[in-house]
Structure formats: C-alpha cells, structure tokens
Amino acid sequence: MYSEKVLEHLRNPRNVGKIENPDGVGKVGNPVCGDVMVMYLKIRDNIIEDAKFETFGCGAAIATSSIATELIKGKTIEEALSITNRAVADALDGLPPQKMHCSVLAEEAIRSAINDYLAKKRVENGEGRIS
Amino acid sequence: MIYLDCNATTPCDQRVIEAMLPFFAEKFGNPSSLHSIGQEAKKALETSRHTIAQCLGAEDQEIIFTSGGTEANNLAIRGSAYALWNKGNHLITSAIEHHAVLNVFKALEKEGFQVTYLPVDENGLVDPQEFKKSITPRTTLVSIMHANNETGVIEPIQEIASLAKEYGLLFHTDAVQTIGKLSFNVKEIPVDLLSASAHKFYGPKGVGFLYVKKGVRLIPQILGGPHERGKRAGTENVPLIVGMAKALEIAQANWEDEYRHVEELRNRLEQGITERIREVTVVGKNAPRLPNTSMILVKYVEGEAMLLNLDFAGICVSSGSACTSGSLEPSHVLLSCGYPHEIAHGSVRFSLGRSNTVEEIQTVLEVFPHIVEKLRNISPFGKEAI
C-alpha cells in the first residue's frame, strides 16, 4: 500500500519537534478527523532556515509532514509557497488515493506557517491592522 | 514475525492441509455425479457436514456450506427477511455488527425494510431489554453477533435468542469470531441461523457455513442447481469443506486448553501495557470477552501509525482507525461505545492464537512502549502530561 519512501519517513521522521521562538507556526487539521499537523518555521532574509513539525495522524500524515519540512528547508518563501500537495506526494514516490488528503494537509501546513510569518511581519512593519 | 491478528485470519493447520490435499486431484469428483468418483466426493462432503453438525449439536441437514462468513450472513439475513416479507418488514440488529451484516441491513432498508440498529453501552453490550422494547408487530428477524471482531466482547445472545423465541422472531447470530474459540451448542442457545467462517479457526479461506434450524425457510441468494437442499446453488467446494470440518474438529477437541492459553497471554499483555504506558484504555474490560482479543486505546497517537511501527518491529496487529480502512471515520464499534473520534482513532487490536508464546508477549511489551513514546513525541498532544 505504501511506498518504501513513505515507510522510511515513518520509520525515521525528519525534523520532529518544536522550534523555540519560531517566526511562523501553522496548525491544520482536526483531531476528530484523525490528522493534526503543526509546522514551525525559522525564517531569515526570506529564506526558511529551519522547519520542524509535530503531527498526530496516520503513517502517511507523519511521512508527508516529514518530507514537507525537508522540501522547504533552505527555500525562499516564494519557492515554499509554490509547493503543491502533488509535489509532496511525488517526493514520497506517491501515496495511495485515500491518503492524498495527507499531502493536502502538508501543503496547507506550509502555507499556514508562512502566512503566520507574513502576518507577523506586516504587524512589525506597521502594515497590518492591529485590532 | 509475531502474529497477533488472529481475528483477521489464522494460518491453516498442517493437519487441515493434509486432509484437503487428496480432494484436489485424486478424489476430485463432483458430489452431484452418480459415478463412483462423484460418490466418493459426496461421501467426503456428507462426512464433513456430519462432523460440523456434531460440533454444534445440530442435525446434518441443518448445515449449509457457503463461500465464507460474508455469504453466510447475506444468505441468513436477506434470505429470511424476504422469506418472511409477507409477515412484516421490520428487522432488528445492533450498531456494532460486522460490515458483512450491517451493509446487508442497509441494503434492505433501501429495498423497503425498516431496520432498528440497537445501541450498545460503553462496554459494547446490547441490552436485551432495549431489544425487547424495539419489537413491533411487524418485526420478523433479529440478528446480533455472538462476539465482536474488534473488541472481543460477547453479546448476551442467550437472553436475546430466548426473547426472540418468545416473540416468535427468527434469531440469527454472526458467530464468525466464536466458532472454534468457544463451544457452541444450538440446543443450549436457541438460534435459528448461525454464520461461521473456516479461516478464523485454522481452516482455509473461502469457505464457511450457515446453520439453518430445521423448518426455517430461506430465499436462496445464489440460483442454479439443487445443491445444499435448494438453499445455495453451486458445486460444493469439497477440498475446502473437508478442510473446514477437520479444522473445526481440531478446534473443538482443544478449545478449553486453547482458551486458557490465550487468556493467560492476553491478560499478561494487557497488564503489561497498562503498567508500562500511561493513558491507555482496554475496551470492554468489564464485559464478557473472547479470551484472545484485546482492543487498546492509546491517547494522543493514531492507530495506523502504531500498527506500521509494530510491523517494522515484526509484530502484526490490526487497528480500528479510520486510516486502516481508507474511510475518514474511525471504527463504528468504538464510536457506538461512546468513545470520541480522537480517542477512537488511537486504537490497536491484538488478537492472539494457539501458537503464541509468553516470549512473544514479552517482546511486544518491550517494543510497544517505545513505539508509543516515539509517536507521542511526534504528536502535538499530550506532552504536558509527561
């Protein structure tokens, strides 16, 4: 059912954990549905210097989180935002059809963490609405 | 490999394989043929039927061979619901049945029947009084499983069967998880229909049987020749039927020893897990249960992730998590017991068998806590409790 690569990432997930004082955090999913991903980013000069994750979910959810952190590390924000769920799945040599939603969750986690960073930055620069 | 998934399937017993082998190429006859090769197969078929009937305290003609538990359930439920259509269209079952029962009832609902799905308590038990209350003048059939495949909880079918009899209803039980594990006598528990499957008791896959009490009418679901007293057409699968009879004979002769063996190992496993891992729940612990089954809920982690990590360590189990089945809903059994979704997602089922050893359980107890720790470390939940 799963590719060797998915199993390998489940066996040895990369970048597990929190980042202290992260520049961006994205939390997606819902425990009721059985999948929650939290992604933490450290960003400097528009480059994602570090990415870590915490995930509650099935093997595919953990593997997609793990590969997603690998895919975005060292990338610019624009490059990271252009990563699609398909790219996440392809990087794992594919996912079974019923598990494709896990790759969607990974894409959403990346976007959510970057949007959090961008929102904070706008506030810092006085661009955001402070309510 | 440590195999702890015996409620899914069991390996074929070597003695069963040996009993089957002559019936593939040597004694290959069609039991419906009148010549000697056909009659040789017919004799094996009827001897097998007799063996199985004896194990259940039934009469030979009350055993109908099928392709497995699923077909037996389909035949029992559809066959009797339609046979009694003129008497009424209300049917009763429980919310925790196997899909081979539930989906038959769901189909019948679309075809114009009314179905009551009895709820269960937190242990997964059906309340016979609740059943009694649900009976209407148009009720014809009730189907309640003997033991649940996920939790191993044994339903009070003795009481339900007696009530059904009192109200003149047909009673079917899906006994796929109990035949071979417990002793069952149809004279003691007054069932009208009972389904069983050979590969759950060390027999081959693809064969099962339906006990049909004498006088119970069924509309056949597979049409063709006059096989199986007109209740199930198709040339009987003689080798597999011979194997099933052999497997049941072996299981029946040893069931008490096996019961004690697997119960001791299961209790050791449950005790070890609850001692070593915080925030775990044993489902149905306070209910009568099969001796071999343990459904464990582990907070903050998901079942499939536990299953795969156990597999990496050479340990085979099942999970009632959504992700195993491909649907987004976790086990309907656990939800029916009242567990919230996020807890039901974290289920893992150990189901033991005759060949498991104390050493294997010890290995699981060494490996499993590390797996849970690893996954809890990955999880965003539950850390504050460490």
Side-chain angles (χ1 to χ4, degrees):
Chain A
M1 167 178 164
Y2 283 132
S3 70
E4 276 304 313
K5 200 127 184 219
V6 171
L7 296 176
E8 208 279 310
H9 274 266
L10 177 61
R11 216 185 273 260
N12 301 304
R14 331 289 200 257
N15 307 309
V16 171
K18 283 187 170 75
I19 293 178
E20 291 304 318
N21 306 314
D23 297 311
V25 180
K27 182 174 174 182
V28 296
N30 185 334
V32 172
C33 305
D35 290 307
V36 175
M37 276 182 203
V38 188
M39 196 163 282
Y40 303 89
L41 302 178
K42 201 82 197 163
I43 298 171
R44 190 186 290 176
D45 299 334
N46 205 43
I47 305 275
I48 297 172
E49 280 197 329
D50 199 8
K52 288 197 172 191
F53 80 92
E54 290 182 310
T55 290
F56 164 80
C58 65
I62 291 170
T64 52
S65 311
S66 170
I67 195 93
T69 58
E70 284 203 323
L71 287 174
I72 61 175
K73 269 171 101 166
K75 295 273 183 353
T76 65
I77 284 172
E78 293 71 26
E79 284 167 340
L81 282 173
S82 73
I83 290 170
T84 61
N85 81 295
R86 173 62 65 180
V88 172
D90 287 349
L92 288 169
D93 295 337
L95 284 171
Q98 74 272 23
K99 297 289 183 179
M100 281 305 283
H101 73 275
C102 293
S103 65
V104 175
L105 220 54
E107 180 192 320
E108 286 172 357
I110 297 169
R111 283 174 193 282
S112 168
I114 291 175
N115 286 336
D116 178 55
Y117 163 74
L118 293 174
K120 279 183 195 158
K121 211 172 130 188
R122 278 198 293 274
V123 172
E124 277 167 24
N125 296 346
E127 295 164 22
R129 285 168 304 192
I130 300 167
S131 54
Chain B
M1 275 302 206
I2 298 176
Y3 187 79
L4 301 175
D5 201 13
C6 288
N7 286 10
T9 194
T10 54
C12 223
D13 189 293
Q14 201 54 44
R15 291 164 287 182
V16 170
I17 297 171
E18 276 158 29
M20 289 193 289
L21 282 176
F23 293 92
F24 286 101
E26 191 188 322
K27 304 177 181 182
F28 63 88
N30 184 329
S32 299
S33 301
L34 287 178
H35 49 64
S36 52
I37 289 187
Q39 288 308 298
E40 183 181 43
K42 173 83 176 167
K43 198 175 159 217
L45 181 70
E46 294 313 321
T47 305
S48 301
R49 200 187 305 277
H50 182 67
T51 302
I52 291 168
Q54 288 288 301
C55 287
L56 294 175
E59 291 178 31
D60 293 6
Q61 72 261 34
E62 294 177 317
I63 304 298
I64 303 294
F65 295 119
T66 68
S67 63
T70 295
E71 190 198 327
N73 284 330
N74 272 261
L75 174 58
I77 298 163
R78 289 192 78 88
S80 59
Y82 275 104
L84 296 169
W85 172 257
N86 58 344
K87 285 198 178 159
N89 68 341
H90 179 236
L91 316 168
I92 301 171
T93 188
S94 84
I96 58 154
E97 298 296 315
H98 191 276
H99 286 116
V101 167
L102 273 187
N103 285 341
V104 179
F105 280 107
K106 283 184 185 156
L108 288 170
E109 272 185 296
K110 287 193 183 133
E111 293 164 27
F113 286 90
Q114 285 175 347
V115 181
T116 298
Y117 298 91
L118 294 172
V120 293
D121 67 10
E122 70 276 13
N123 284 310
L125 286 168
V126 171
D127 178 0
Q129 291 312 309
E130 196 75 33
F131 158 58
K132 197 174 162 183
K133 276 190 261 170
S134 71
I135 299 170
T136 75
R138 297 192 57 74
T139 309
T140 56
L141 166 73
V142 54
S143 175
I144 305 289
M145 70 199 320
H146 191 195
N148 184 266
N149 48 306
E150 292 185 22
T151 64
V153 167
I154 299 172
E155 298 298 330
I157 64 161
Q158 173 97 49
E159 220 178 322
I160 293 168
S162 301
L163 278 169
K165 202 170 181 183
E166 190 185 323
Y167 284 84
L169 310 178
L170 271 192
F171 179 68
H172 166 249
T173 190
D174 171 1
V176 162
Q177 289 297 343
T178 50
I179 296 300
K181 292 190 186 105
L182 307 175
S183 167
F184 197 110
N185 193 306
V186 294
K187 292 196 183 81
E188 288 162 18
I189 303 181
V191 298
D192 296 299
L193 298 151
L194 175 147
S195 309
S197 171
H199 74 101
K200 307 291 191 188
F201 51 84
Y202 304 87
K205 291 166 186 62
V207 66
F209 66 85
L210 180 65
Y211 161 80
V212 185
K213 193 186 167 82
K214 212 166 33 177
V216 170
R217 225 162 54 79
L218 288 181
I219 306 290
Q221 302 299 306
I222 295 176
L223 306 177
H227 315 85
E228 299 299 294
R229 305 172 69 83
K231 291 187 167 73
R232 201 275 190 184
T235 299
E236 296 86 351
N237 196 333
V238 179
L240 300 196
I241 290 167
V242 167
M244 171 163 67
K246 185 71 188 170
L248 188 57
E249 196 178 15
I250 295 167
Q252 193 73 16
N254 305 306
W255 81 269
E256 281 166 303
D257 288 343
E258 273 182 33
Y259 188 108
R260 277 191 290 271
H261 172 67
V262 293
E263 188 180 43
E264 201 215 312
L265 295 183
R266 194 270 312 266
N267 292 349
R268 191 183 281 259
L269 177 73
E270 283 184 353
Q271 196 188 340
I273 287 175
T274 46
E275 280 170 6
R276 288 168 172 81
I277 307 173
R278 66 183 167 90
E279 297 183 84
V280 293
T281 308
V282 177
V283 180
K285 199 164 170 50
N286 301 317
R289 263 191 306 161
L290 288 175
N292 78 317
T293 310
S294 187
M295 177 66 127
I296 308 255
L297 301 176
V298 184
K299 244 178 146 178
Y300 315 123
V301 296
E302 196 274 340
E304 190 216 60
M306 286 190 276
L307 180 159
L308 292 168
N309 274 282
L310 281 165
D311 189 41
F312 294 155
I315 300 164
C316 300
V317 301
S318 274
S319 167
S321 87
C323 286
T324 317
S325 60
S327 79
L328 290 175
E329 280 288 295
S331 149
H332 67 288
V333 177
L334 295 174
L335 295 181
S336 298
C337 294
Y339 291 103
H341 279 68
E342 59 272 29
I343 301 295
H345 280 297
S347 70
V348 51
R349 180 191 70 188
F350 299 90
S351 52
L352 284 57
R354 58 170 72 140
S355 61
N356 291 127
T357 62
V358 176
E359 291 72 32
E360 289 179 328
I361 299 304
Q362 207 50 45
T363 303
V364 175
L365 290 177
E366 280 156 28
V367 169
F368 190 48
H370 293 294
I371 289 172
V372 173
E373 195 188 339
K374 173 188 165 184
L375 292 172
R376 281 183 172 168
N377 187 40
I378 297 173
S379 173
F381 304 126
K383 297 234 169 62
E384 61 280 2
I386 293 174

